[in-house]
Amino acid sequence: MGYKVVVVGATGNVGKEMLNILAEREFPVDEIAALASRKSLGTEVSFGDKTLKTMDLDTFDFTGWDIALFAIGSDATKTYAPKAASQGCVVIDNSSLYRYDPDIPLIVPEVNADDVVRYKNKNIIANPNCSTAQMVVALKPLHDRARIKRVVVSTYQSVSGTGKEAIDELWNQTKGIYVPGQEVSPSVYPKQIAFNVIPHIDVFLDSGDTKEEWKMVVETKKILDPKIKVTATCVRVPVFVGHSEAVNIEFEDYLDWEEATDILREAPGVLVVDKREAGGYITPIECVGEYATYISRIRQDETVENGLNIWVVSDNLRKGAALNAVQIAEVLGQRCLKKG
């Protein structure tokens, strides 16, 4: 006996990936529904070798359904997630709406799977920010060994993190630079993204940080350890898919880079690619479509007493969003719902 699963926002980039990954990982599905807004009603989406027609989110009854994977914005989630949860369906939400609610678990299965039992508080589980998810997967095994004091992270985030419109803007701006008369002015982003980098993701806060940077700080503390100090600079780069991060870590205890490499090679969800030669590292184009969080450039930081530098790359539509949500569903099923 399997699960009755709903994918909410099935026509978006993340929703489509959720359907793909549910099929790829052979999640025990008895019945599946693809939901979208009324304007997308009837749009066809793929689930393995099946084709599903989207149903209307506004009128859908979640009663009798086991799990709902939400991939819509916070505003719509605020309306529909409580409805699903109140009708007995466990919501796994990809938006930022519930991440900071102390009663709602924020889960990365390789890091804090035990927290999944707290779904019973509100029948809702939160999926973290894409840049946070891949970073904490890398940090967790190192933290277990040497206790992390401080993290300084600079991100290089792909346009797919913003959505389809941003992907189109990068493509069209790039074409427009080479084709006279087809120039495209910035619309999704405040400045040109083609052949450029933009040190601005989400809105600015009074502190001078952007909300994306604030998210990485707060979410790392909630998922991994509230004592860790985190500072982030988040940058949008002209890459279609795949987020990269340069992470500087300061530990309480000394950790040699060679031991750190051995630890990371054994860590769940991690693949180390680090040969200290030209091409002996991972780049975002190589991680597209993959499940793993890749780590390269593992080296000592001699400027602090117990420091390491690492380079972390992952497919943000997968581990940063859809894959993590499906992994949460797997843990929820194995440990709590126990069907399939």
Side-chain angles (χ1 to χ4, degrees):
M1 185 177 179
Y3 296 93
K4 295 180 68 175
V5 179
V6 182
V7 175
V8 181
T11 59
N13 289 334
V14 174
K16 288 176 181 176
E17 280 298 298
M18 286 174 170
L19 288 166
N20 289 338
I21 292 168
L22 284 166
E24 286 173 14
R25 292 174 72 91
E26 298 181 343
F27 188 84
V29 172
D30 264 3
E31 189 175 347
I32 190 159
L35 306 188
S37 63
R38 193 159 292 173
K39 67 180 181 181
S40 300
L41 194 62
T43 301
E44 293 186 342
V45 292
S46 297
F47 174 63
D49 57 2
K50 298 178 182 177
T51 299
L52 309 175
K53 283 193 175 182
T54 58
M55 303 165 67
D56 184 8
L57 169 60
D58 198 44
T59 58
F60 189 80
D61 184 357
F62 289 89
T63 304
W65 294 81
D66 298 301
I67 300 169
L69 304 179
F70 270 63
I72 54 179
S74 293
D75 289 343
T77 299
K78 188 181 294 186
T79 299
Y80 297 104
K83 174 184 173 184
S86 68
Q87 292 173 350
C89 183
V90 182
V91 171
I92 300 172
D93 176 37
N94 193 61
S95 82
S96 62
L97 182 63
Y98 296 111
R99 291 175 188 162
Y100 317 110
D101 185 328
D103 292 328
I104 291 178
L106 180 65
I107 303 291
V108 175
E110 296 92 337
V111 179
N112 62 336
D114 290 347
D115 285 350
V116 77
V117 297
R118 297 179 56 240
Y119 85 92
K120 294 178 182 178
N121 291 342
K122 294 188 177 179
N123 238 24
I124 297 172
I125 300 169
N127 209 25
N129 184 44
C130 48
S131 49
T132 305
Q134 68 187 64
M135 185 173 76
V136 296
V137 167
L139 294 180
K140 167 64 173 174
L142 302 178
H143 184 57
D144 287 347
R145 161 62 180 81
R147 310 309 293 175
I148 295 170
K149 291 171 59 178
R150 182 171 185 254
V151 174
V152 181
V153 56
S154 297
T155 72
Y156 307 77
Q157 294 178 228
S158 65
V159 296
S160 58
T162 307
K164 183 181 182 300
E165 296 81 3
I167 294 172
D168 292 343
E169 181 155 298
L170 173 57
W171 172 251
N172 291 327
Q173 280 183 357
T174 304
K175 277 196 308 178
I177 287 169
Y178 293 103
V179 183
Q182 292 191 19
E183 297 84 358
V184 175
S185 298
S187 173
V188 175
Y189 296 118
K191 297 197 178 192
Q192 176 182 308
I193 185 61
F195 302 98
N196 200 16
V197 297
I198 303 173
H200 171 197
I201 300 178
D202 212 322
V203 298
F204 276 93
L205 307 176
D206 291 342
S207 64
D209 292 325
T210 64
K211 195 171 182 183
E212 183 82 358
E213 292 156 355
W214 175 85
K215 288 175 187 175
M216 291 195 74
V217 174
V218 176
E219 292 176 20
T220 300
K221 288 175 175 288
K222 183 174 179 179
I223 295 167
L224 189 56
D225 188 335
K227 295 178 182 177
I228 295 175
K229 295 179 180 179
V230 182
T231 183
T233 300
C234 294
V235 182
R236 192 70 70 187
V237 297
V239 169
F240 286 112
V241 177
H243 287 356
S244 305
E245 298 170 347
V247 187
N248 176 264
I249 314 163
E250 185 179 356
F251 298 92
E252 291 181 6
D253 301 318
Y254 181 76
L255 178 59
D256 178 80
W257 72 268
E258 291 176 303
E259 183 185 353
T261 301
D262 291 340
I263 289 169
L264 290 168
R265 287 191 191 282
E266 298 298 319
V270 169
L271 274 176
V272 174
V273 178
D274 194 8
K275 292 187 177 179
R276 299 194 168 189
E277 62 186 40
Y281 42 79
I282 203 73
T283 60
I285 201 166
E286 296 157 287
C287 78
V288 176
E290 300 294 329
Y291 287 155
T293 295
Y294 290 88
I295 301 179
S296 305
R297 304 296 318 280
I298 305 164
R299 63 201 192 279
Q300 225 74 43
D301 174 11
E302 302 292 356
T303 67
V304 293
E305 189 172 357
N306 301 312
L308 282 178
N309 289 303
I310 61 174
W311 173 251
V312 183
V313 182
S314 189
D315 182 329
N316 56 292
L317 297 179
R318 291 207 151 204
K319 185 54 190 171
L323 171 61
N324 200 72
V326 173
Q327 287 177 302
I328 292 171
E330 290 170 347
V331 172
L332 177 70
Q334 292 158 7
R335 299 194 182 193
C336 304
L337 304 185
K338 298 184 178 179
K339 294 169 68 175

